[in-house]
Amino acid sequence: MRCTAATAMGLVTGAALTLAAQRTRLGALHTRIELLEQAAQAQRQANLAHQQRLHWELLSKAMDDPELAEVLDTYEGTVSQKKQRQFLFTNALYTNALCYYRMGNMTREEFFGFARGMLQHPIFREYWYATRPHRATLISTSDEAQIGRMVEDLLVQLDETDTDEWWVVGEPPSE
């Protein structure tokens, strides 16, 4: 019986040591995964920032050169060169805010406030109406499509309101 008890005690001790070693390795793996996820998130943010900078550079060139702006004329020649430049700048403002949101530097509620303010400007509204076909091509689950629907809903609410206090129209989304 003593031999069996000693054997059992040895097995239990061995199992406990093995389990402790596995927990240590598992903890180290978990820490490594967290670090890799943080690095991946930082890389995504750096990529978004880089893409935003490239977007601005391209739009700036198009705003400065009517011949380049023609490449971006998806309005079938229905807008003047001046309006095209205004639309390009409006797109840059909107895309910048969208990028800021996607990077986590702006909440959805803050974006809602930005959109509510921008929708007060007739050029932004005209741009928004003119680019509806563009947004219709977005993947419905993408951040850009979801934000676009939020802005579209807000525009409808602003159009239907009977108050001059535009800053209180609409219910900011919950995160």
Side-chain angles (χ1 to χ4, degrees):
M1 200 63 117
R2 281 185 152 184
C3 185
T4 306
T7 302
M9 185 58 127
L11 287 173
V12 169
T13 301
L17 290 173
T18 301
L19 183 59
Q22 287 177 345
R23 280 190 177 166
T24 301
R25 283 194 302 263
L26 187 59
L29 286 173
H30 183 68
T31 300
R32 178 75 176 138
I33 288 170
E34 285 179 358
L35 290 173
L36 289 172
E37 287 173 348
Q38 290 171 358
Q41 178 63 22
Q43 185 62 51
R44 280 191 295 274
Q45 288 191 347
N47 290 346
L48 279 169
H50 180 69
Q51 179 61 40
Q52 179 62 25
R53 181 69 189 151
L54 289 174
H55 182 256
W56 172 248
E57 288 175 13
L58 291 170
L59 288 180
S60 292
K61 287 180 180 192
M63 284 184 277
D64 293 340
D65 186 339
E67 291 178 5
L68 294 178
E70 285 179 25
V71 174
L72 298 175
D73 184 359
T74 58
Y75 312 105
E76 301 173 5
T78 60
V79 298
S80 66
Q81 284 184 1
K82 176 183 175 184
K83 184 66 67 182
Q84 171 78 354
R85 288 177 44 209
Q86 290 171 332
F87 281 6
L88 292 172
F89 186 74
T90 302
N91 175 268
L93 289 174
Y94 178 78
T95 303
N96 183 62
L98 180 64
C99 184
Y100 224 59
Y101 166 74
R102 291 177 66 202
M103 291 175 71
N105 294 335
M106 178 186 287
T107 66
R108 190 175 284 249
E109 185 174 349
E110 290 169 325
F111 192 99
F112 184 85
F114 161 82
R116 189 166 40 197
M118 290 302 294
L119 286 168
Q120 299 312 301
H121 199 283
I123 293 173
F124 186 89
R125 280 180 176 244
E126 190 176 352
Y127 161 80
W128 194 257
Y129 291 131
T131 56
R132 276 183 174 154
H134 305 168
R135 287 186 303 283
T137 66
L138 297 172
I139 296 171
S140 65
T141 56
S142 70
D143 285 339
E144 191 171 353
Q146 291 173 12
I147 292 292
R149 285 190 301 274
M150 179 186 75
V151 174
E152 191 68 34
D153 291 343
L154 177 58
L155 178 58
V156 169
Q157 292 172 42
L158 286 165
D159 284 344
E160 292 175 350
T161 190
D162 59 356
T163 181
D164 291 334
E165 297 176 342
W166 58 266
W167 55 90
V168 299
V169 174
E171 186 65 32
S174 58
E175 289 296 314

